[in-house]
Amino acid sequence: MLQSLEVHHFALIDNLRVEFTSGFNVFTGETGAGKSILIDAFGLVLGGRASVEYLRPGADAYWIQAVFDIEGEPAVQEALKELDFTNGDDTLFLRRKVTASGKSQAFVNERQVPVHVLSRLGTLLADIHGQHENQSLLLPEAPLRVVDQYDKSIPPLLASYKQSYQKYRVASQELHTWLTKNAHQEEDLKQLEEAIQEIDNAQVKPGEDEQLRKTVKKLLHQENILQAVGEAHHYLEGGENDGVLDGLNRAVRSLEQVLDYAPELMEYRDALDSSWQTLEDVRQSLGDLLQSDSGDQETLARAQERLDTLYHLKQKYGGTLENVLATQEKMKKEHQDLLSLESTIEKSRKKETLCRKEMEEQANKLSQAREKAAQALCKALLPHIRDLAMPQGKVEIRLNRLSQCSSNGQDEGVFLFSANAGMDMKPLGKIASGGELSRFALALKTATLQNCGVSTMIFDEIDTGIGGVTAQKMGEKMALIAEQHQVLCITHLAQIASFAGHHLFIQKQTENETTLTSVEPLEEEGRVREIMRMTGGTNTSASVEKSAREMLMMAKAFKQKEYHQHENLT
C-alpha cells in the first residue's frame, strides 16, 4: 500500500509530505484547492507523462517520491527481482524528477532507471480511476477488455489465439504471394534465371574478396617492396664493399686458425657457419624476387576488375559473398517452386486452410470462455448496480460473433444497460447519464475487486452528477472496497467523505503574493467542521452540526456492521 507521498515545487505545491493509512483515505477541500494536483503528481511518479508546465516559478526542478509497503505483494516482488533489485525491508521508494529543461529522471530505491520501469511497477501498485476512466467504458473495445480481465482463464486463451492468428496471417500472405507470381510466372522465371546465372558466372568463393584486397594492396606498393628487397640483398651480398656474408666468412676463417689451441671455440665457429648458410639462402631468395616480374600491372588490373565484379554482386545480393551464395540458393528454390507453381500453390492453400482451422478453433474456445465470463460478471455486477440507488437497474454484456477473425478474436461486445423500470436496455453510451455512468463504473470496480491485482485504488472525483442517497450508496461501496484494498478518493460529497477512515483536508493559501496548497489530516472535530462546510457551506448552525455528526456516526455504524458480517463469514 502507499505509505507516503512527497511533492516538491510542483504546481501549487511547494514542499509537501502526506502520510496515508490502510483502508479508506479521502481528500476534500474547496474547488481549485489542488486536490487533483496530488493525483497528477502521483500519476507522474508511477511513470505518467511529465511536463515542465507543472514546475513552480523560480524552481530548477520538481520531484515527487512515493513510498510503498510491499509486504505480501508477490507480483511486485517478482518484478523487482526480474529488474535485479533487492528489497529486504519490504519498503519501496519510487522517485521522479523533472528539470526546467524538460529532462526527466526516474529512480527506484535511489537507483536511476528508465521511466518505463516506473510504469511497469505502477501498474502493479495502484489503479487510478477518474472521470476519464468512466468515459473509457463507452469505447467499443471496453466490454471485451473488462470481460478478458475478469476471468483469469481468458488471457492464456487469448495469447494462444493470437499465435494461431499470426500463423494464419503468414500463411495467407504466402498464398497471396504465390497467386500473384502465378500471374507473372514467365517474367519471374526469367529474372531468377538471369540472377542465378550471374552468380554462377562469377564463380564466387567465400573470403575471395578479402584475399584480393590484400593482393591489390601488395601490388600497389610493389615499388617500395622491391626497393626494400634490393637494399637487403645488397647488404648481404656486398658489391663494391664487403657484405654481411663476406664478414661472416672471414670470421669463420679467423676462428679456424686457432681451433687447435682453443677447441672450445668450435661451437662459435659452427654457429657462424650455420648463420652464413641461412643468410646465403635468404640472399638467393631475395635475388630471385628481384629477377621475378612481381610488378605485373596485368595482375593488378585483373585483381581490381575482379573486386569490382564481387562488389557489384554484394550490392545486389546481400552485402557479403556468403550472403550472395545464400541468396542464390534461395533463388534456386524459388525457381524450382515456380517451375512447379501449381503444386506449390496447392501446398500453400492446404497450409492456409490448416492454419485457418486452427485459428477458428482457438477463436471458438475464446468466445465460449468470454460468453461464460460475461454472464458471470453480469451476475456479480447487478447487485452492486442495484445497491447504488438503481434498484430496478438491469445490465447485460452482449457478445456478438464477427464474420471474420481479428487480432483480438472473433467477438465484439457492448454494455447494455437500463437504470429504470419499464425501460428497455440500450447501449451504455446512449442511455446512461453522467451520474449513472459514475455509478456503473464503481459497481464494475466492486464486482471485479477480487480480480484487481493492485493494493491501492484511487478514485478521482468519480462522483460527478450524483448526490443524496446515491452519494451515500457510493460511499458504502468505497468503504467495502477499502476492506480489501487501500482506497484514496477525491470527493466533493459529504456523504462519501463521512465513510473515510483517514480524512485529509486540502486548502489553498496566499502568502507574500504566492499561492500554496497544503494538506491537513483531520481528527474527529475537524472532520465534523469539514462535513458541515461540505453540506451547509457557511451555515454553522446547530442543526448543520448535528447533521454532520449523525452522518459520521451512521457511516461508522455501517462499517462496523460490515466488518462483523465479514468476520462471521470468515
Side-chain angles (χ1 to χ4, degrees):
M1 73 168 196
L2 178 65
Q3 290 183 321
S4 66
L5 182 69
E6 287 187 60
V7 184
H8 299 269
H9 311 311
F10 185 84
L12 295 177
I13 300 172
D14 189 17
N15 293 289
L16 181 65
R17 176 184 173 87
V18 184
E19 302 283 345
F20 299 95
T21 66
S22 59
F24 195 176
N25 299 256
V26 72
F27 295 93
T28 64
E30 294 284 359
T31 300
K35 298 183 294 297
S36 292
I37 291 175
L38 275 176
I39 303 303
D40 292 340
F42 188 52
L44 281 173
V45 83
L46 295 182
R49 186 175 180 180
S51 172
V52 294
E53 294 180 1
Y54 286 114
L55 185 64
R56 281 186 65 81
D60 296 328
Y62 65 78
W63 63 271
I64 304 114
Q65 177 172 277
V67 181
F68 288 88
D69 178 0
I70 57 172
E71 183 180 3
E73 298 285 348
V76 180
Q77 297 279 10
E78 184 62 28
L80 289 170
K81 184 178 179 181
E82 290 178 14
L83 294 167
D84 196 27
F85 281 94
T86 56
N87 203 70
D89 61 355
D90 291 325
T91 302
L92 178 65
F93 295 83
L94 304 184
R95 184 157 60 91
R96 184 82 177 274
K97 179 180 180 182
V98 179
T99 65
S101 64
K103 182 180 179 182
S104 176
Q105 295 175 305
F107 301 86
V108 174
N109 290 349
E110 297 305 317
R111 192 176 96 187
Q112 189 165 355
V113 297
V115 173
H116 70 78
V117 173
L118 292 187
S119 300
R120 179 182 175 186
L121 293 174
T123 59
L124 301 173
L125 290 164
D127 174 39
I128 301 178
H129 188 96
Q131 296 182 50
H132 171 73
E133 283 67 35
N134 289 352
Q135 294 299 316
S136 72
L137 292 175
L138 305 180
L139 297 175
E141 64 271 18
L144 275 188
R145 185 185 72 244
V146 171
V147 169
D148 289 353
Q149 291 173 349
Y150 180 71
D151 190 330
K152 294 187 181 298
S153 70
I154 292 180
L157 290 174
L158 180 58
S160 180
Y161 166 80
K162 285 179 180 289
Q163 291 180 353
S164 299
Y165 175 75
Q166 187 58 34
K167 284 170 59 179
Y168 168 74
R169 287 284 301 269
V170 172
S172 181
Q173 183 59 47
E174 183 180 299
L175 175 60
H176 175 75
T177 300
W178 287 119
L179 290 173
T180 302
K181 287 183 180 295
N182 190 38
H184 306 88
Q185 183 180 15
E186 291 185 8
E187 180 182 346
D188 289 344
L189 280 171
K190 183 179 179 181
Q191 289 179 352
L192 286 169
E193 288 167 357
E194 290 176 352
I196 292 169
Q197 190 62 47
E198 181 182 17
I199 298 174
D200 273 341
N201 291 341
Q203 296 183 342
V204 174
K205 299 176 181 177
E208 181 186 3
D209 51 347
E210 184 60 33
Q211 187 60 45
L212 283 170
R213 278 193 288 270
K214 292 179 180 178
T215 300
V216 168
K217 183 178 181 181
K218 179 179 179 181
L219 291 174
L220 288 173
H221 294 84
Q222 191 66 19
E223 184 177 345
N224 294 335
I225 295 171
L226 289 175
Q227 180 179 349
V229 170
E231 290 176 356
H233 185 270
H234 173 75
Y235 290 133
L236 289 172
E237 190 176 48
E240 297 177 0
N241 302 317
D242 290 343
V244 173
L245 290 170
D246 290 335
L248 283 172
N249 196 34
R250 284 198 296 273
V252 169
R253 289 199 299 271
S254 296
L255 291 177
E256 285 178 342
Q257 294 174 5
V258 296
L259 287 178
D260 290 341
Y261 319 111
E264 69 273 11
L265 295 177
M266 177 64 75
E267 63 177 302
Y268 302 120
R269 179 262 179 203
D270 292 343
L272 289 170
D273 187 53
S274 176
S275 298
W276 186 91
Q277 292 290 342
T278 300
L279 291 175
E280 172 60 18
D281 291 342
V282 172
R283 183 194 68 78
Q284 290 181 10
S285 297
L286 292 175
D288 293 342
L289 286 173
L290 288 171
Q291 293 176 9
S292 66
D293 188 15
S294 299
D296 187 357
Q297 292 300 309
E298 291 184 6
T299 302
L300 176 61
R302 285 196 300 272
Q304 289 178 324
E305 182 180 355
R306 179 64 173 168
L307 275 176
D308 288 342
T309 299
L310 296 179
Y311 176 79
H312 172 72
L313 290 174
K314 289 189 293 183
Q315 287 293 102
K316 288 180 67 175
Y317 302 116
T320 67
L321 294 183
E322 289 77 8
N323 286 345
V324 170
L325 294 172
T327 300
Q328 185 189 36
E329 288 302 313
K330 183 178 179 181
M331 289 189 295
K332 286 179 179 179
K333 182 181 184 304
E334 188 175 350
H335 182 268
Q336 187 63 38
D337 289 338
L338 278 173
L339 289 175
S340 55
L341 188 57
E342 185 175 338
S343 173
T344 302
I345 291 176
E346 183 60 27
K347 289 179 181 177
S348 188
R349 283 190 194 278
K350 289 181 178 178
K351 182 179 178 181
E352 188 212 33
T353 299
L354 288 173
C355 290
R356 183 193 296 114
K357 182 179 179 181
E358 178 185 332
M359 176 188 67
E360 290 173 347
E361 288 175 353
Q362 295 289 344
N364 189 51
K365 290 180 182 178
L366 181 61
S367 296
Q368 290 176 356
R370 282 172 167 168
E371 187 66 42
K372 183 178 178 181
Q375 293 175 7
L377 176 55
C378 288
K379 185 177 180 180
L381 181 58
L382 187 59
H384 298 293
I385 286 177
R386 292 181 172 175
D387 282 347
L388 288 167
M390 295 182 286
Q392 303 300 321
K394 294 179 291 183
V395 64
E396 179 185 347
I397 302 176
R398 181 170 295 171
L399 300 181
N400 301 314
R401 284 288 187 99
L402 300 172
S403 59
Q404 292 183 333
C405 292
S406 69
S407 60
N408 202 36
Q410 203 174 354
D411 308 297
E412 65 176 5
V414 60
F415 287 120
L416 297 178
F417 177 69
S418 172
N420 302 297
M423 300 294 293
D424 293 334
M425 288 194 295
K426 294 182 179 179
L428 185 64
K430 294 183 178 181
I431 195 170
S433 65
E436 289 169 344
L437 184 59
S438 295
R439 283 180 278 167
F440 184 91
L442 182 58
L444 193 58
K445 282 285 183 184
T446 311
T448 58
L449 191 61
Q450 300 297 335
N451 303 77
C452 178
V454 300
S455 59
T456 299
M457 303 183 71
I458 301 166
F459 297 95
D460 182 11
E461 297 188 9
I462 69 162
D463 49 17
T464 302
I466 66 170
V469 174
T470 305
Q472 181 178 336
K473 292 294 185 180
M474 185 171 278
E476 291 175 358
K477 286 298 176 188
M478 290 190 184
L480 291 175
I481 294 174
E483 291 292 330
Q484 300 181 49
H485 295 261
Q486 182 187 40
V487 172
L488 278 61
C489 175
I490 292 177
T491 184
H492 292 285
L493 299 177
Q495 294 93 326
I496 293 177
S498 63
F499 284 91
H502 186 50
H503 194 145
L504 298 159
F505 175 63
I506 300 180
Q507 59 183 332
K508 184 169 60 177
Q509 299 172 324
T510 301
E511 298 178 3
N512 300 323
E513 299 183 353
T514 299
T515 302
L516 297 172
T517 289
S518 63
V519 178
E520 176 188 357
L522 299 180
E523 300 299 333
E524 184 174 353
E525 291 304 312
R527 292 192 69 193
V528 171
R529 290 191 296 272
E530 175 61 3
I531 297 296
M532 289 173 63
R533 181 197 67 79
M534 297 174 75
T535 55
T538 57
N539 186 349
T540 58
S541 64
S543 60
V544 173
E545 179 180 349
K546 180 181 178 182
S547 175
R549 292 186 184 277
E550 288 178 347
M551 191 177 295
L552 289 168
M553 289 177 62
M554 289 174 61
K556 184 178 181 180
F558 172 82
K559 290 190 291 182
Q560 288 177 341
K561 176 183 176 184
E562 291 298 323
Y563 173 77
H564 288 307
Q565 286 182 349
H566 176 74
E567 286 293 299
N568 290 334
L569 288 173
T570 56

